[in-house]
Amino acid sequence: MPEKGGYLIGNLQPAHMDFRFFSLGNFWSIVNSLATSDQSHAILDLVEAKWADLVANMPFKICYPALEDQEWRIVTGGDPKNTPWSYHNAGSWPTLLWQLTVACIKMNRPEIAEKAVKVAEQRLSRDHWPEYYDTKGARFIGKQSRLFQTWSIAGYLVAKLLLAQPKKAKILINEEDLELVNALSYFSANPKSRKRSRKRVKQSYIV
């Protein structure tokens, strides 16, 4: 963990946390206001602080870090695509570029997404739009990656267009409902106000 920044961890079950960084969950927690403003900025601070790990040669790591040794075999069932730093085990997926972009636009930090787009532009077209990249630094095209992948192309194009017209991102963003937040705050501070008299409901029977 860097000195500045943070992220939301995965809760697999009671007392069983997954402390890896999952990009999809964290990006959408920003976009859908599941994270507070401070938490959202902390997630983007983490992206900047861990740029060499999360972006490197191609945005963006689907999770970080990778499961290694025997752990990846146990968790993934030994799927050969999911060796460390590949595919769903910390592979780098260009399609995540547009989701990063929406999160950055919402928090008024588009420069992070612009920087990531410039990294992608150095290789993505030249590599024929692969599905994902392998290795810790995303140096190589994924060993089982499909080329000319629609969502890789779409991810880049949507990111590029949203950065050119940030207002278009509004259709993807859910702002926090302040009325609902105030109501929840009120009920939390006044638990007695939630008590309601229970009316007896007549039961109906179908014969």
Side-chain angles (χ1 to χ4, degrees), residues 126-163:
R126 187 185 68 199
D127 290 344
H128 306 302
W129 309 96
E131 182 182 16
Y132 67 95
Y133 285 77
D134 280 349
T135 75
K136 191 172 183 179
R139 286 189 59 199
F140 304 122
I141 296 172
K143 54 182 176 288
Q144 293 191 39
S145 179
R146 304 295 184 265
L147 300 181
F148 298 103
Q149 190 71 29
T150 303
W151 57 13
S152 295
I153 300 170
Y156 167 75
L157 291 176
V158 171
K160 195 79 173 173
L161 291 171
L162 287 177
L163 287 170

Side-chain angles (χ1 to χ4, degrees):
M1 282 293 296
E3 290 296 322
K4 185 180 179 183
Y7 63 100
L8 302 178
I9 64 173
N11 187 3
L12 304 180
Q13 62 187 34
H16 187 185
M17 306 296 183
D18 191 327
F19 289 93
R20 288 177 293 165
F21 173 84
F22 289 93
S23 52
L24 268 174
N26 278 274
F27 291 161
W28 284 104
S29 71
I30 296 174
V31 175
N32 289 323
S33 297
L34 297 176
T36 65
S37 178
D38 287 344
Q39 290 169 340
S40 298
H41 279 296
I43 293 168
L44 296 181
D45 287 340
L46 179 78
V47 170
E48 287 191 305
K50 299 286 288 181
W51 190 265
D53 296 313
L54 299 174
V55 177
N57 293 293
M58 180 59 64
F60 198 91
K61 287 291 181 196
I62 195 166
C63 61
Y64 181 88
L67 297 172
E68 299 187 282
D69 302 321
Q70 291 300 313
E71 192 174 15
W72 78 267
R73 297 180 187 276
I74 295 168
V75 173
T76 71
D79 184 342
K81 292 195 300 293
N82 286 315
T83 52
W85 308 108
S86 179
Y87 201 56
H88 292 154
N89 189 10
S92 296
W93 293 72
T95 188
L96 295 174
L97 195 57
W98 77 269
Q99 294 161 87
L100 168 67
T101 300
V102 178
C104 292
I105 288 172
K106 183 189 175 188
M107 302 311 298
N108 295 313
R109 297 173 68 175
E111 68 281 356
I112 299 174
E114 289 169 355
K115 185 179 175 183
V117 166
K118 287 180 181 178
V119 173
E121 286 176 335
Q122 294 175 13
R123 297 185 54 192
L124 199 50
S125 175
R126 187 185 68 199
D127 290 344
H128 306 302
W129 309 96
E131 182 182 16
Y132 67 95
Y133 285 77
D134 280 349
T135 75
K136 191 172 183 179
R139 286 189 59 199
F140 304 122
I141 296 172
K143 54 182 176 288
Q144 293 191 39
S145 179
R146 304 295 184 265
L147 300 181
F148 298 103
Q149 190 71 29
T150 303
W151 57 13
S152 295
I153 300 170
Y156 167 75
L157 291 176
V158 171
K160 195 79 173 173
L161 291 171
L162 287 177
L163 287 170
Q165 302 180 62
K167 290 183 180 179
K168 299 289 186 183
K170 287 184 178 180
I171 63 171
L172 300 165
I173 293 170
N174 290 321
E175 296 292 350
E176 194 167 50
D177 188 329
L178 294 179
E179 286 187 18
L180 181 60
V181 171
N182 290 334
L184 290 172
S185 298
Y186 172 78
F187 285 124
S188 296
N190 303 278
K192 291 183 180 180
S193 63
R194 287 183 291 180
K195 292 183 179 180
R196 295 181 180 177
S197 59
R198 293 189 178 183
K199 293 183 180 180
R200 200 167 179 181
V201 179
K202 292 182 179 180
Q203 291 182 322
S204 59
Y205 299 92
I206 299 175
V207 180

